[in-house]
Amino acid sequence: MEKFKSLDKKNKLKLLLYSILILISFFVTLISVTILDILNDVPKMDLNNLSNSFNQTSSIYDENGKLLEKIESLEYRTIVPIEKVPKHIKDAFISIEDERFYKHIGIDFQGIASAFIDNIKAGKIVRGGSTITQQLVKNVYLSNVKTINRKVQEAYLAIGVDKKLLKDEILEAYLNRINLGQGSYGVEAAAQTYFSKDVWDLNLSQSALIAGITKSPVEYPPFKRIPKDSYKDGELIGTMDINGEQMYLVLNPKAFERQKTVLKKMYSLGCITETEYNDALKFDIVSSLNPGIKKYHSMSSYSTDYIKSEAAKLLSKYYSVSQDEAEHKLFTGGYSIYSSIDENIQHDLENIYVNFKDYLNSNTNSNHGAKALSFTLDGTDNILDANGNIVYFQRYNFFDEEFNFKIDKENYNINSKGDLSITNSLFNTASNKLDIIDIYEINSDENLQTYNIGFLNIPRDVYEEKADYIIISSGFLKNKSDFYKIDANNNLIISKEYYSYESIPTLQPQSSAIILDNESGYVKAIVGGLDVNSKNLKIYNRATNSVRSPGSLIKPVVYLTALENGYTLGSVKDDVPIYIDGNMWPSNDYPGFGGLLTLRLALENNSNVIPVEFLQEMGLDKMKDTLKKFGIINSANASKDNFISLSENKYKSDENLDSLALGNMQRGITNIDAAQIYRTIATGGDTKDVSSVIKIEDANGTTIINNSTKKTEKSFDSTNCYLLTDALRTNVTRGIAKGAGTLKLDIAGEIGLNKFNSDLWFTGYSPKYTISTWIGCDSPKIELDADSKLILNLFKQISQDVNQNLPTTKFVKPDNIVEKYICQKSGNLGTKLCEEVDAGYIEKYKSGTEPTKYCDQHIKLLICNKSNRLASEYCPKEDVEYKIFFERQPAYIASERGGIYPDDYEYVPKLYCNYHDEDWYNKNKEKKKTKKQQKTTKDKSSKSSSKKG
């Protein structure tokens, strides 16, 4: 320091500059090394053939590498050469996304600086500086994760692309690749999706609308797809069926504001004249919207459909992109998907469902409406629900052979002004739209067949809803002369162009099944409905998408919660009348009440009371914690589960005993949820996510997703899971599920029955596989009228096919299990008295939890048969015998239980015999004495007569 001070000013300045140069060199070197390191990870792509990089066919293989299906991509995007793309389309995209596209080298330094200044001024990110070339390489080669590394790689690739390709080649690839919302990739797909036109037929206004979507395919499409059940408000412009679910197309005002921004930018850059600009603004863009019927990729079966859905979800997570973007990558990215689906098991399962109609018809009757169903009809044969509301119209009441909506004179009127009024009972009044009630017919085999009918597709501002009718304005009708006509019988016929409908009926009830490999958690086979022969449609998968009330299928989850909280299979509860909020609830599905039952026997008897009692003691939060571990409740994001919490709906929630103890949920669970729950129990608490995808390789053969190495988490005590498995096993051998098993194989499982009579479930497992089956109508308002044997036999048939020739047929008992003979009423160790009255059995326990106290409630008493009281000293030996009684502690007081006694109730005598008292004894003694004397006299007389003779 002293030496530095001694230097003159000139040398000090030299030393300072030298130090700054060293620091600059250090930082430049550091940055260079960092950038080189980042660039080492840049994907090695053929930049001379960019179009093919996003047009490669992906393939699905089984786990052994056998090709199952090639996923074609043509239906998701139509490639359009740049020569066929109109100038106003190209100008619109370049103006709003990259105005110096033809001038920069792949990255735009002026654009980056301008964006930086604008963001600083706004105090937030309001625009980016990415060029069209950068966007292209990001979408083709990189992920959407916003990191410095990705931006460096993106810039490097963009410069490389710009050097090797002409600008029009880059623009062609971009315009055929860009995500434009609603599953549309590229300008031709967008033109068809939003206007049902080819891209070269779009005008300036329509082109600007499509270009505006690029900023955010989620925020700026001209309409949004809303599930039918989730629609609340907004102008409806059409419908679309996606994955078997009807979606409403709702106008999006943001898109039209964005369109104006695009047009203004085009005008300011001189791409269009003032006249063109004004004409484009005046154009009625909303009326020109004409949503095309999206033709989604053909699915060969429920199984490959499910594989693709799972693969898209995994790619979405891996690349941090939207589901639409991930699906696009799947169909165009040349991926190899290795699936767990076993072709042979899938084939066997589908064969069962091919003949399901015959199986249904031979095992059910049509006593209450149709085979396996129960419903009520009104005077014109429309199906009613329990509240008298119409669920389905009889098909020909309001529709003809061609599915024209036919309304008789009694249900419509046209006033002098030309306004049309229609009775509102033709529409689903629970809806916020003119949702036409669906229709049905009964076929020759007495099966119910339903047809889905959409909503009346007219703008919200052209009709009004009154108490008994809706009225459509004459102004709308004058402009839409094709909306209706009047036939010769004065019926009003509404054109099919104004609503959607299904022309092919759906058989009811439906069914689904899923088979999991216990150890891996992989799906081996899946069927989502009866349409197993359909190979050309992306059909609705009820196994994965249909959410239904599980009913008693949830009870083993209650019992697992109890085991996890210190109870045992031998814990005893009382199946007797209980009162909730002053009302006696619940009742059982069987007559009366069973009385004292262990946990195992409560499960086998399907008691409704005892699971309620367990949750009353433990608290609802314990059960909710269990459901969180199973993934049924998503504590991080409630919108992603089907459980309705009090915070979501305080009037109709699942946070109550009816839902949590008895499974009568507002929504419920899917079949795959049920399979995952029971598979977790089967594996001793392993909560690995169910999947049909083992691994995914990219187009270069690099494994990017590997589910086989995913770690599993033990969420439950393995011994408790084994104990519950054993209870579910005896449920199959002697309980309510008797008939689902076979003699040679251990099967554990449970029937699902709910209070709505809307669903039949059976979910069970062997040591190798978990199988979940479901039967029910697509509308849960239609009740089933079928014996539980229908679902038990279906499960048994599937189980026999999949479990044949297994090396392991028995559940393996852990070393820490002990067995004890217990009294089934007290839960204590059984005595000879318990054994004598067959009131005991051998129960299994986790070592250290077994009972140590012997039953002292079974008592032996000497009873007088004449009075049924305790024998007194006066009771003769021929009238007395020892009897064994169970003395409840505390005593059962029927008056506190509505005067109802449980089935196992025993009266234990406390009073002594009042028939054989002292007076009786003395009289009887005197009688015996007299009889004895008389006998002696008789004997003497007899001897005297003998001597005389």
Side-chain angles (χ1 to χ4, degrees):
M1 191 67 183
E2 292 296 328
K3 290 182 179 180
F4 179 77
K5 290 180 179 179
S6 64
L7 296 175
D8 58 27
K9 289 184 179 181
K10 184 177 181 181
N11 285 322
K12 283 181 180 179
L13 183 60
K14 285 182 179 180
L15 183 60
L16 183 61
L17 289 172
Y18 182 68
S19 299
I20 291 172
L21 285 173
I22 291 175
L23 284 173
I24 292 172
S25 299
F26 172 76
F27 282 113
V28 168
T29 302
L30 181 63
I31 292 169
S32 299
V33 170
T34 301
I35 290 175
L36 288 173
D37 184 56
I38 292 171
L39 295 181
N40 280 334
D41 294 328
V42 171
K44 295 178 181 179
M45 295 291 183
D46 183 3
L47 300 178
N48 288 304
N49 192 15
L50 191 63
S51 293
N52 285 339
S53 70
F54 56 86
N55 193 28
Q56 299 181 57
T57 299
S58 295
S59 301
I60 298 175
Y61 301 89
D62 69 11
E63 56 188 325
N64 298 315
K66 178 184 176 183
L67 180 65
L68 296 179
E69 180 182 340
K70 282 187 172 292
I71 307 175
E72 302 298 335
S73 62
L74 296 179
E75 292 182 3
Y76 273 76
R77 181 184 64 261
T78 301
I79 303 297
V80 180
I82 195 69
E83 296 80 13
K84 297 188 74 173
V85 178
K87 181 177 183 299
H88 48 253
I89 277 279
K90 293 185 282 188
D91 287 345
F93 277 90
I94 290 172
S95 296
I96 199 65
E97 291 296 320
D98 188 2
E99 61 185 85
R100 283 173 289 278
F101 172 70
Y102 286 106
K103 299 176 181 178
H104 60 62
I105 61 171
I107 56 175
D108 182 8
F109 294 106
Q110 184 179 340
I112 293 170
S114 177
F116 179 78
I117 293 170
D118 287 347
N119 293 336
I120 290 294
K121 288 179 179 179
K124 60 181 180 179
I125 303 296
V126 294
R127 56 173 288 202
S130 293
T131 64
I132 281 176
T133 316
Q134 285 177 276
Q135 291 179 50
L136 178 63
V137 297
K138 177 194 71 174
N139 289 331
V140 174
Y141 304 134
L142 303 171
S143 75
N144 280 359
V145 178
K146 295 180 180 180
T147 64
I148 295 297
N149 287 22
R150 199 216 71 195
K151 293 299 291 184
V152 171
Q153 292 174 344
E154 179 187 295
Y156 174 78
L157 286 171
I159 293 170
V161 167
D162 196 82
K163 284 182 179 179
K164 294 194 175 184
L165 296 180
L166 298 174
K167 289 288 186 179
D168 275 356
E169 289 177 315
I170 296 170
L171 186 60
E172 179 183 81
Y174 174 80
L175 292 176
N176 282 296
R177 173 64 177 78
I178 190 67
N179 180 1
L180 294 170
Q182 309 299 341
S184 301
Y185 295 90
V187 289
E188 172 64 12
Q192 292 293 341
T193 296
Y194 301 120
F195 301 105
S196 296
K197 289 183 177 182
D198 290 312
V199 65
W200 47 85
D201 291 328
L202 297 180
N203 62 27
L204 173 59
S205 184
Q206 294 164 335
S207 300
L209 184 74
I210 287 178
I213 300 170
T214 311
K215 182 177 182 180
S216 173
V218 175
E219 290 295 318
Y220 293 108
F223 54 80
K224 293 190 175 185
R225 300 182 304 202
I226 308 294
K228 178 179 178 180
D229 294 336
S230 300
Y231 172 74
K232 293 181 180 178
D233 52 29
E235 184 175 345
L236 299 169
I237 61 169
T239 64
M240 184 180 293
D241 285 338
I242 299 174
N243 295 342
E245 182 179 11
Q246 189 177 44
M247 308 290 281
Y248 287 161
L249 308 182
V250 181
L251 210 62
N252 178 22
K254 287 185 178 180
F256 307 103
E257 293 302 318
R258 179 69 178 164
Q259 178 224 25
K260 293 174 184 175
T261 300
V262 175
L263 288 170
K264 186 175 182 180
K265 186 71 172 178
M266 293 177 74
Y267 174 58
S268 69
L269 292 175
C271 297
I272 56 176
T273 65
E274 184 176 0
T275 300
E276 288 174 321
Y277 173 64
N278 290 327
D279 287 346
L281 289 176
K282 293 176 184 176
F283 178 74
D284 189 353
I285 186 71
V286 174
S287 295
S288 75
L289 289 172
N290 183 21
I293 299 175
K294 177 72 70 177
K295 189 177 182 184
Y296 282 81
H297 188 273
S298 296
M299 298 296 171
S300 61
S301 70
Y302 289 109
S303 58
T304 49
D305 186 358
Y306 177 58
I307 294 166
K308 294 163 192 173
S309 174
E310 287 292 295
K313 289 177 183 176
L314 292 168
L315 290 173
S316 173
K317 185 175 181 180
Y318 178 78
Y319 287 111
S320 297
V321 297
S322 69
Q323 186 72 13
D324 276 351
E325 179 72 5
E327 195 170 61
H328 172 76
K329 284 180 176 291
L330 171 66
F331 280 80
T332 61
Y335 296 97
S336 295
I337 299 102
Y338 290 85
S339 168
S340 60
I341 295 292
D342 186 305
E343 221 178 350
N344 293 327
I345 298 177
Q346 179 69 29
H347 179 72
D348 290 343
L349 183 60
E350 289 183 358
N351 279 344
I352 291 173
Y353 275 91
V354 165
N355 301 311
F356 185 84
K357 181 180 177 182
D358 294 334
Y359 169 77
L360 183 70
N361 290 343
S362 62
N363 286 278
T364 59
N365 60 55
S366 55
N367 294 338
H368 298 93
K371 290 288 180 67
L373 302 175
S374 176
F375 49 79
T376 303
L377 302 177
D378 66 11
T380 55
D381 290 338
N382 301 312
I383 296 178
L384 306 177
D385 65 14
N387 298 317
N389 300 313
I390 296 175
V391 180
Y392 289 105
F393 283 135
Q394 203 286 331
R395 174 179 173 178
Y396 297 105
N397 282 350
F398 293 100
F399 288 84
D400 61 20
E401 289 285 354
E402 302 301 320
F403 291 92
N404 292 299
F405 191 13
K406 181 182 66 175
I407 305 174
D408 59 50
K409 185 62 179 174
E410 293 181 359
N411 286 292
Y412 81 91
N413 181 64
I414 301 174
N415 65 22
S416 58
K417 294 181 179 179
D419 298 325
L420 170 64
S421 59
I422 303 174
T423 304
N424 65 8
S425 61
L426 304 187
F427 304 97
N428 181 3
T429 55
S431 171
N432 292 321
K433 50 218 172 275
L434 299 180
D435 186 14
I436 304 169
I437 291 175
D438 296 334
I439 61 178
Y440 85 94
E441 63 184 2
I442 305 294
N443 67 15
S444 58
D445 291 323
E446 298 181 297
N447 298 124
L448 177 68
Q449 296 183 154
T450 60
Y451 300 82
N452 183 58
I453 308 295
F455 68 92
L456 199 58
N457 188 12
I458 59 177
R460 185 64 186 85
D461 59 357
V462 305
Y463 71 90
E464 290 184 55
E465 295 182 66
K466 303 297 183 181
D468 300 319
Y469 60 92
I470 62 110
I471 184 164
I472 303 173
S473 72
S474 58
F476 169 79
L477 296 172
K478 287 176 183 177
N479 292 326
K480 301 289 184 181
S481 58
D482 64 334
F483 181 75
Y484 75 86
K485 64 181 180 180
I486 307 296
D487 69 9
N489 296 317
N490 283 325
N491 293 312
L492 181 83
I493 310 296
I494 295 180
S495 169
K496 292 183 291 187
E497 298 300 316
Y498 290 88
Y499 55 88
S500 61
Y501 64 94
E502 292 176 347
S503 59
I504 299 174
T506 300
L507 180 70
Q508 305 291 350
Q510 281 283 317
S511 181
S512 66
I514 185 167
I515 302 173
L516 305 181
D517 180 273
N518 289 342
E519 183 178 358
S520 65
Y522 288 134
V523 177
K524 308 308 291 183
I526 187 170
V527 165
L530 307 185
D531 205 4
V532 289
N533 285 324
S534 177
K535 305 296 182 185
N536 299 314
L537 294 171
K538 192 173 185 182
I539 47 182
Y540 184 55
N541 193 330
R542 293 166 183 84
T544 58
N545 297 333
S546 182
V547 181
R548 307 294 293 226
S549 172
S552 53
L553 203 67
I554 209 73
K555 291 176 183 176
V557 181
V558 178
Y559 296 136
L560 177 60
T561 306
L563 294 172
E564 291 280 294
N565 284 276
Y567 294 93
T568 70
L569 291 182
S571 294
V572 173
K573 294 290 178 192
D574 210 353
D575 183 2
V576 294
I578 58 177
Y579 288 83
I580 307 291
D581 296 329
N583 299 310
M584 192 174 73
W585 181 89
S587 60
N588 290 311
D589 294 330
Y590 48 82
F593 297 87
L596 295 163
L597 297 171
T598 61
L599 188 155
R600 181 191 293 271
L601 294 180
L603 189 155
E604 291 178 10
N605 285 277
N606 197 31
S607 168
N608 285 336
V609 173
I610 290 181
V612 169
E613 290 179 335
F614 270 116
L615 284 195
Q616 281 181 314
E617 280 193 12
M618 292 186 291
L620 297 184
D621 286 345
K622 297 289 187 183
M623 181 64 173
K624 287 167 59 182
D625 288 342
T626 301
L627 292 177
K628 287 174 185 176
K629 291 178 182 179
F630 281 124
I632 303 303
I633 296 177
N634 188 324
S635 54
N637 189 344
S639 65
K640 291 187 176 181
D641 65 35
N642 292 303
F643 184 86
I644 302 179
S645 65
L646 279 169
S647 61
E648 292 174 292
N649 190 327
K650 65 180 180 180
Y651 301 108
K652 289 186 177 181
S653 82
D654 289 323
E655 291 195 55
N656 54 68
L657 291 167
D658 194 29
S659 291
L660 291 174
L662 304 183
N664 296 313
M665 294 180 167
Q666 298 294 326
R667 293 177 187 154
I669 62 175
T670 64
N671 206 347
I672 202 165
D673 289 333
Q676 181 164 348
I677 289 170
Y678 279 71
R679 182 243 158 211
T680 297
I681 300 168
T683 57
D686 169 14
T687 53
K688 182 179 180 180
D689 290 340
V690 168
S691 179
S692 62
V693 176
I694 298 173
K695 66 176 180 177
I696 299 177
E697 294 177 352
D698 64 16
N700 296 319
T702 302
T703 299
I704 59 173
I705 295 168
N706 191 346
N707 271 340
S708 64
T709 60
K710 189 174 180 180
K711 292 182 179 179
T712 60
E713 181 181 347
K714 287 287 183 182
S715 297
F716 302 99
D717 183 277
S718 59
T719 304
N720 288 334
C721 289
Y722 168 78
L723 291 169
L724 182 57
T725 291
D726 197 64
L728 290 168
R729 177 188 62 80
T730 57
N731 189 39
V732 170
T733 59
R734 68 189 187 194
I736 190 176
K738 186 176 181 180
T742 60
L743 293 175
K744 297 180 180 180
L745 180 69
D746 273 356
I747 294 289
E750 173 70 309
I751 287 178
L753 303 165
N754 59 41
K755 69 179 182 182
F756 315 110
N757 294 322
S758 59
D759 302 86
L760 263 179
W761 302 77
F762 189 86
T763 306
Y765 50 91
S766 67
K768 175 66 175 174
Y769 296 110
T770 294
I771 304 168
S772 189
T773 54
W774 167 85
I775 295 174
C777 277
D778 286 333
S779 171
K781 293 181 180 179
I782 303 294
E783 294 186 11
L784 293 173
D785 180 29
D787 190 278
S788 59
K789 288 181 180 178
L790 184 69
I791 196 77
L792 292 177
N793 290 338
L794 176 63
F795 172 88
K796 186 173 182 177
Q797 188 175 355
I798 297 170
S799 177
Q800 286 175 333
D801 285 348
V802 73
N803 284 303
Q804 58 183 328
N805 303 320
L806 289 183
T808 303
T809 59
K810 301 295 180 183
F811 296 120
V812 179
K813 183 171 69 174
D815 293 335
N816 63 338
I817 293 294
V818 296
E819 297 182 359
K820 295 292 181 180
Y821 179 78
I822 66 165
C823 170
Q824 66 192 44
K825 290 183 176 295
S826 69
N828 291 321
L829 295 172
T831 65
K832 285 192 175 294
L833 295 182
C834 306
E835 189 174 358
E836 281 187 46
V837 292
D838 196 24
Y841 66 92
I842 295 176
E843 187 54 276
K844 295 178 179 176
Y845 296 87
K846 182 178 181 180
S847 180
T849 67
E850 68 273 18
T852 56
K853 178 184 176 183
Y854 281 90
C855 172
D856 59 2
Q857 292 174 264
H858 273 107
I859 56 176
K860 181 180 283 189
L861 301 174
L862 187 63
I863 301 298
C864 175
N865 290 325
K866 289 287 188 180
S867 63
N868 288 320
R869 291 188 174 190
L870 296 173
S872 71
E873 58 184 305
Y874 303 112
C875 296
K877 61 182 180 180
E878 62 269 18
D879 287 341
V880 301
E881 66 174 313
Y882 279 107
K883 292 184 179 181
I884 300 171
F885 296 89
F886 183 80
E887 188 169 29
R888 282 171 167 262
Q889 296 174 1
Y892 184 80
I893 303 174
S895 61
E896 295 177 355
R897 309 282 180 174
I900 299 172
Y901 289 90
D903 295 343
D904 72 338
Y905 180 78
E906 294 179 68
Y907 169 72
V908 180
K910 297 294 184 183
L911 300 175
Y912 283 92
C913 176
N914 60 354
Y915 183 85
H916 301 109
D917 57 12
E918 184 176 3
D919 186 51
W920 177 91
Y921 179 78
N922 290 331
K923 287 179 180 179
N924 192 61
K925 188 176 181 182
E926 190 63 34
K927 285 180 182 179
K928 285 183 178 181
K929 183 178 179 181
T930 301
K931 282 184 180 181
K932 187 176 181 182
Q933 288 174 344
Q934 289 174 347
K935 186 177 185 302
T936 302
T937 302
K938 186 178 180 181
D939 288 344
K940 287 180 179 180
S941 176
S942 177
K943 287 180 181 180
S944 174
S945 297
S946 176
K947 286 179 180 180
K948 288 179 180 180

